[in-house]
Each structure stands twice: as structure tokens, then as C-alpha cells.
Amino acid sequence: MIREEPGIVVATGRGEWRWEVREVKVETSACDFGPDETREPGEGTASRAELVLRGTGARQQVIAPPDADGSNVIQHEAEAIGSVGPYLFIEERTYTYACGAHGFVGVGFTVWDADKGAIANLLAEVSGVPALQGEAEALLDEDEDDPEAARQERDAPELVQIAPAYDARGALRVTAKLARAACYACGDGAWSSYSRSAVVPARKAPERLAAWASPPPGLQSFLAEHPDLNVGGWSRAGRAE
């Protein structure tokens, strides 16, 4: 071990990038329920997420605050849920109250390539999606009173997120989250409102992650000495092309 430091740092051919998130204020709107009833603008907060290059201070804007778009309340958060080499896996959650009967939560997923400073559409590169949909559907049907009737009324679960998972030796596995529509009261809270979701193992990681499928010897030794450590990701610097 060379040193320990807090936070998330991703090493690339361009250098080491630190993940930074700060909260910003978002302007919200009043609710007009009629001539005798209004509700003043409520809380509006959002996350601005950037990668900052060590040494130069260069920045990549990864997640920008959303527009409140007339909402009375908006609470937006961005979280890095894992990494593979230069790829950061990011989940955004936004609670919005738009003067209706109740608020709702929307969730988004982004994979960011710190090497290129751009979004990587890894969901489109996942293979065997129909099989994943079948596994997720079976899990979701377990909580349905009438699974056959539910399937007739709903589309197949949609692949909405993938996430890295590492075993005790640091080998890469990928999990897939799939969600399908549900009534507001039927949602499970694991994805957006009006949905229920299931997590299943992906049969194969996207091809561009293959270089990080197995950890280098140094990381294997480190994990052997720290068996209780949960790996969230690893990266290493290399020559920029």
C-alpha cells in the first residue's frame, strides 16, 4: 500500500481524476390551486458532478443540475455506484413535486468514460437481453397475484442499469437491473416511481470492459491481505493514445 485517501479517484492515460459532487440551488415555482389556495415555491436542490484532474485542475462536467421545469419541489442527487477502469457508473435520483396529488421519483443511469470525457452507452452493448428479461420477469411475477394477467397488460421488463460487482479476488462480474411499469402504490422504490425492478447477473460483461475483467497481481495480493474489503472499482494509469 502506498497511501490511503478519501473519495473516488479514477486513473487514466491523461492522469488521475477525482470525483466531486456539490449541491446547488434550483429555482422552483409556486402552486396555484385556485383563487383562494396557493403554495409557495418549495425546496430546490440538485447535484453538479465533475471529474477534476489532479495537478492541472482541468474539469469534466459529468452530471449537470436538471431544470425544475415549473416544479414546486425538486431534490436531485448523483451517486457513483461503481467503476471499471476509466468508466464510472452513475445513478441519478430526482424527487419532484409538480403540484399534483403526490410527488414522484425519477431515476437515470449514466456510464462516463473518464479517458474520453464522454458518455459511454454500455446498455446498448449488453448481450442476451431477452434472457435477462425472462429472468427478471420470473422474479417480478413472484409478487403478482395473477402473473399471467400481469404479463398481458405490461411490456417486458426494460434494461435500465448495469453495475460492476467484484468477487473476493477482484474478478469482474456485472449485474443488470430491469424494471417494468407498476401502479404508484405497487412500486418497490428500487427504481423510478410507477415501477418494480429486479437485479439479475449478466451472462457477459460488455466487450469494452474485458481489459479489466481480471485484477492485476498487486490488487490480488492486496485483496488477499484485506478479505473484508468490498471492491467498488479499480483503475490504473497508462500511456495516453
Side-chain angles (χ1 to χ4, degrees):
M1 181 185 300
I2 299 172
R3 67 177 182 272
E4 288 188 50
E5 58 181 83
I8 298 171
V9 177
V10 176
T12 72
R14 299 171 59 189
E16 297 176 356
W17 297 87
R18 177 178 293 278
W19 168 256
E20 292 188 0
V21 181
R22 59 188 176 92
E23 185 180 280
V24 298
K25 296 296 183 182
V26 177
E27 185 176 352
T28 57
S29 303
C31 292
D32 184 0
F33 296 114
D36 300 321
E37 185 179 0
T38 60
R39 176 171 173 170
E40 294 301 311
E43 181 183 17
T45 59
S47 294
R48 182 185 300 279
E50 298 177 313
L51 288 174
V52 183
L53 184 61
R54 178 173 287 160
T56 71
R59 292 177 178 267
Q60 299 179 24
Q61 179 170 281
V62 182
I63 301 295
D67 191 333
D69 196 25
S71 297
N72 181 257
V73 174
I74 184 168
Q75 298 166 347
H76 164 260
E77 298 178 341
E79 179 185 7
I81 60 173
S83 70
V84 178
Y87 300 101
L88 269 176
F89 294 67
I90 303 157
E91 182 176 289
E92 293 179 79
R93 284 187 170 267
T94 307
Y95 170 80
T96 303
Y97 174 68
C99 304
H102 52 70
F104 59 92
V105 174
V107 184
F109 172 67
T110 301
V111 179
W112 186 263
D113 183 346
D115 245 338
K116 296 181 178 179
I119 290 174
N121 186 11
L122 291 190
L123 287 184
E125 301 176 20
V126 175
S127 61
V129 173
L132 298 177
Q133 290 175 314
E135 291 182 37
E137 197 163 49
L139 292 174
L140 292 169
D141 285 349
E142 291 179 359
D143 292 329
E144 296 285 359
D145 294 331
D146 189 342
E148 290 300 323
R151 289 189 185 189
Q152 292 176 7
E153 297 178 4
R154 299 187 179 121
D155 294 330
E158 177 188 2
L159 177 64
V160 293
Q161 184 183 88
I162 58 174
Y166 298 88
D167 65 20
R169 298 182 60 187
L172 174 65
R173 304 289 183 267
V174 173
T175 60
K177 178 176 285 189
L178 298 97
R180 73 180 181 190
C183 69
Y184 182 80
C186 308
D188 59 11
W191 193 247
S192 302
S193 298
Y194 301 100
S195 75
R196 294 176 55 238
S197 63
V199 176
V200 298
R203 287 168 170 73
K204 184 180 179 182
E207 194 62 36
R208 74 169 84 187
L209 304 183
W212 297 276
S214 298
L219 181 56
Q220 291 184 32
S221 299
F222 178 80
L223 291 173
E225 296 171 1
H226 300 80
D228 297 329
L229 181 67
N230 292 321
V231 178
W234 65 270
S235 60
R236 58 184 169 190
R239 186 174 62 186
E241 297 181 355

